[in-house]
């Protein structure tokens, strides 16, 4: 028996087919029309601009746009979207932050890519700090490193970060923005007061929990589907000066996760006694001591760590940070000792560092520079990022880390494992997380050669298949699906809201086609 499709679903399907048809047949038509626009001088057809907009950090996907818009203000963006929206032959548009996606999410095949970073030095929103220091208004194109530098100049800081800061505010807010602060402050999307968004209907909308809240919740974690974020109002707090940065090693996974969960149970936003950051990772071989996660371990400690890895093949590394400043300098060590009392890390395997706050936050960048110098940064990145319910993390360790990963023995690059608290996320937002109160993020952040990335993708597929068979209800972070069914499963109970919002805010399916949610044919 045929099931009647809801009318919005039918509309989306028709639009999706139409967009595919347009993409294939009307490219030349589009180029000539674009040239008649006021913003025409800001459209680049330069082969190098087109080439760089066709790629991303993943170096796996490629999709060539017709043109690249180099906007100098949000109005240029609105003008482009308006032109496409009101055209009888609309074209697809992708905002491109720093293009640090790994599966073509910021690409627009035969469409127009907006190079958001061209607004960094133009008339776009820059970084403006409120006179009372309570928030910063930040352009969607700004890199988080620039936000850090601007706010630190006034002794202030945002509270929720990503591990790597050369990502744009609009790019991470379209996903979630997670790191070791998430257990306490929630992801970056939980730390936004207000955003300006240019929707797929070219409306310029300021939204917040009290004002146009539907668009606010849609856009945060919305994978760029509902609008282009041109400004975000980010809360600020007084910045600490320095951090105590500690890593502890475990060979027993249940000891490792028990300690992680114990530590994140102290998670009040204003709890001075709580940790300020908690992550975890796998040490699988000698290389994992010093991959781009940071050169942390001192040369004199390395031989004993390497022999531990050689003996156990997987060592689990718990990583924590406690902030301090002039006032707490004398008490921080005692507070830290108190927090770490009774933990089950291996005696003799606790390592400590003292660093400037900004040095700690920007830790990945120095490793990036080293890898770039060796030609190992701009290589394929067949990444897999998952959220895993706490109740299944031990099954995941047995079936994935101890079986698939060890057997295949190909994993290079960091493998992150750390828990977060669901209550710090806002379920009204588009981001998708598991149902349980505590869930883990696992990031297999692998680098490969240009010839062998498929071997890593095969491992990723095997991991996902294992989870399905074992009944481990994982959710992908930075999700990538190639079928509609995959997306429907991913969003689960949020799918119908997600679709309705798409029809409301981007009914012609113009925006972020590279996510391939509604533009599966692109
Ligand atoms: P892009 O890749 O350019 O864009 C991503 C998506 O957002 C695309 O669909 C694009 O169309 C859309 N988009 C871009 N700008 C806007 C905008 N202004 N408005 C609306 N939509 C927009 N993520 C974490 O959460 N935590 C981490 O610790 C972390 N570490 C990372 C480390 C490295 C080395 C890399 C490469 C990535 C890391 N990521 C991390 C992932 C990262 O957050 C995402 O890939 C993010 O999308 C990258 O930001 P970007 O500015 O490069 O976005």
């Amino acid at each position: 028996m045929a099931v009647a499709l809801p009318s919005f679903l039918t509309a989306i399907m028709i639009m999706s087919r139409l967009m595919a048809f347009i993409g294939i047949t009307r490219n030349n038509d589009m180029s000539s029309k674009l040239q008649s626009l006021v913003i025409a001088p800001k459209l680049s057809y330069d082969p190098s601009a087109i080439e760089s907009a066709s790629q991303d950090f993943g170096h796996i996907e490629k999709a060539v746009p017709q043109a690249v818009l180099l906007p100098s203000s949000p109005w240029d963006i609105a003008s482009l979207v308006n032109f496409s929206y009101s055209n009888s032959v609309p074209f697809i548009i992708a905002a491109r932050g720093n293009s640090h996606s790994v599966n073509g999410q910021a690409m627009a095949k035969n469409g127009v890519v907006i190079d958001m970073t061209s607004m960094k030095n133009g008339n776009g929103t820059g970084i403006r700090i409120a006179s009372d220091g309570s928030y910063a208004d930040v352009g969607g194109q700004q890199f988080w490193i620039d936000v850090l530098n601007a706010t630190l100049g006034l002794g202030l800081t945002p509270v929720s970060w990503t591990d790597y800061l050369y990502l744009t505010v609009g790019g991470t807010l379209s996903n979630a923005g997670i790191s070791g602060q998430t257990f306490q402050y929630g992801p970056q999307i939980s730390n936004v007061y207000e955003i300006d968004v240019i929707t797929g209907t070219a409306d310029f909308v300021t939204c917040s929990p009290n004002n146009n809240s539907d668009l606010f919740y849609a856009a945060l974690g919305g994978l760029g589907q509902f609008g282009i974020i041109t400004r975000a109002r980010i809360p600020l707090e007084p910045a600490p000066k320095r951090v105590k940065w500690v890593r502890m090693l475990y060979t027993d996974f249940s000891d490792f996760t028990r300690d992680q969960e114990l530590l994140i149970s102290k998670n009040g936003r204003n709890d001075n006694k709580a940790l300020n950051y908690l992550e975890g990772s796998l040490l699988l071989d000698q290389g994992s001591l010093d991959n781009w996660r940071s050169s942390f371990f001192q040369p004199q400690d390395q031989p004993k760590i390497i022999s531990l890895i050689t003996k156990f093949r997987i060592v689990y590394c718990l990583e924590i940070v406690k902030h301090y400043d002039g006032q707490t300098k004398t008490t921080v060590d005692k507070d830290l000792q108190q927090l770490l009392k009774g933990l089950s890390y291996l005696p003799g395997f606790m390592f400590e560092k003292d660093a400037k706050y900004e040095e700690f936050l920007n830790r990945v960048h120095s490793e990036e520079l080293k890898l770039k110098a060796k030609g190992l940064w701009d290589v394929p990145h067949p990444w897999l990022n998952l959220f895993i319910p706490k109740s299944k993390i031990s099954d995941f360790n047995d079936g994935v880390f101890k079986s698939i990963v060890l057997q295949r023995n190909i994993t290079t690059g960091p493998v992150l494992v750390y828990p977060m608290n669901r209550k710090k996320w806002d379920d009204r937002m588009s981001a998708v997380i598991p149902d349980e109160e505590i869930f883990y993020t696992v990031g297999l952040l692998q680098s490969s050669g240009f010839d062998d990335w498929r071997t890593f993708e095969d491992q990723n597929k095997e991991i996902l298949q294992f989870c399905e068979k074992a009944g481990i209800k994982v959710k992908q972070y930075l999700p990538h699906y190639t079928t509609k069914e995959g997306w429907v499963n991913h969003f689960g109970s949020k799918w119908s809201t997600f679709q309705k919002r798409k029809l409301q805010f981007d009914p012609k399916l113009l925006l972020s086609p590279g996510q391939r949610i509604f533009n599966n044919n692109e």
Side-chain angles (χ1 to χ4, degrees), residues 65 316 387:
Y316 306 98
F387 290 146

Side-chain angles (χ1 to χ4, degrees), residues 56-57 93-102 105-107 116 140-141 143 161-164 166-172 174-179 188 223-225 227-230 279 292 364 377 383 416 418 445 477-478 512-515:
D56 64 17
F57 184 78
I93 297 170
R96 178 181 190 264
N98 199 20
S99 205
H100 272 43
S101 295
V102 294
Q105 286 94 335
M107 297 179 194
M116 297 296 289
Q141 74 284 354
F143 287 1
W161 293 98
T162 46
D163 291 355
Y164 175 65
Y166 291 74
L167 306 168
T168 65
V169 169
T172 68
S174 297
N175 286 293
I178 57 167
S179 185
Q188 291 180 323
L223 307 176
Q225 294 305 301
I228 297 170
I229 299 169
T230 55
E279 288 200 1
W292 61 255
V364 174
W377 184 255
W383 285 11
L416 308 184
Y418 60 91
L445 310 181
Y477 179 55
L478 314 172
S512 278
Q515 298 280 1

